[in-house]
Amino acid sequence: MKVVILAGGFGNRMHEETIHHPKPMVEIGGMPILWHIMKLYSWYGDNEFIICLGYLKEHVISYFKNSFTFLESTDKSNKIIDSWYFYNHLDDWKITLVDTGIDTMTGGRLKSIKE
């Protein structure tokens, strides 16, 4: 099963932390919140992730490029979606990062990754 994680919001309720980096990258115990969420899903056997990005997406992309095996990148400029594919052999995770736009609402993010 593929797990969709919406990680593109502004994180307004954590304003002190999210000025410099997006909420999914706020660290708890030395690891980003996003990693903890993925770890929980993988404990139940779900290891394929689609992460919808928006606000400060560069921080999330940089984290995955530095921590995971980068497989490929696509530029689907006709659909205004860029995707980055990663693999983590330690946890057997397949990770797809999708730029769904900075101002896109929840429904729009889901619609953009429908395919």
Side-chain angles (χ1 to χ4, degrees):
M1 177 188 307
K2 294 181 182 180
V3 177
V4 176
I5 300 174
L6 303 174
F10 291 99
N12 292 329
R13 289 175 289 206
M14 294 181 72
H15 183 67
E16 299 81 18
E17 291 288 328
T18 59
I19 293 173
H20 305 293
H21 49 270
K23 183 169 61 174
M25 300 313 295
V26 172
E27 290 190 2
I28 298 174
M31 296 300 286
I33 290 173
L34 183 57
W35 178 87
H36 289 284
I37 292 168
M38 294 169 71
K39 229 17 185 173
L40 284 170
Y41 275 103
S42 68
W43 192 83
Y44 289 100
D46 298 320
N47 294 322
E48 192 167 347
F49 301 94
I50 300 171
I51 303 172
C52 300
L53 305 177
Y55 176 67
L56 296 177
K57 68 180 180 210
E58 302 82 17
H59 293 264
V60 180
I61 295 166
S62 176
Y63 170 74
F64 281 99
K65 280 187 175 180
N66 292 326
S67 304
F68 295 82
T69 303
F70 178 68
L71 297 177
E72 65 179 296
S73 175
T74 61
D75 177 7
K76 300 178 181 178
S77 55
N78 57 338
K79 294 185 178 181
I80 315 172
I81 297 176
D82 291 331
S83 300
W84 298 266
Y85 303 97
F86 296 89
Y87 179 74
N88 178 356
H89 67 281
L90 297 175
D91 294 303
D92 195 31
W93 291 352
K94 267 177 50 178
I95 305 154
T96 304
L97 304 179
V98 182
D99 178 7
T100 54
I102 193 164
D103 293 320
T104 309
M105 302 302 282
T106 301
R109 291 185 195 284
L110 293 175
K111 186 176 180 182
S112 68
I113 62 163
K114 184 179 177 182
E115 294 177 24

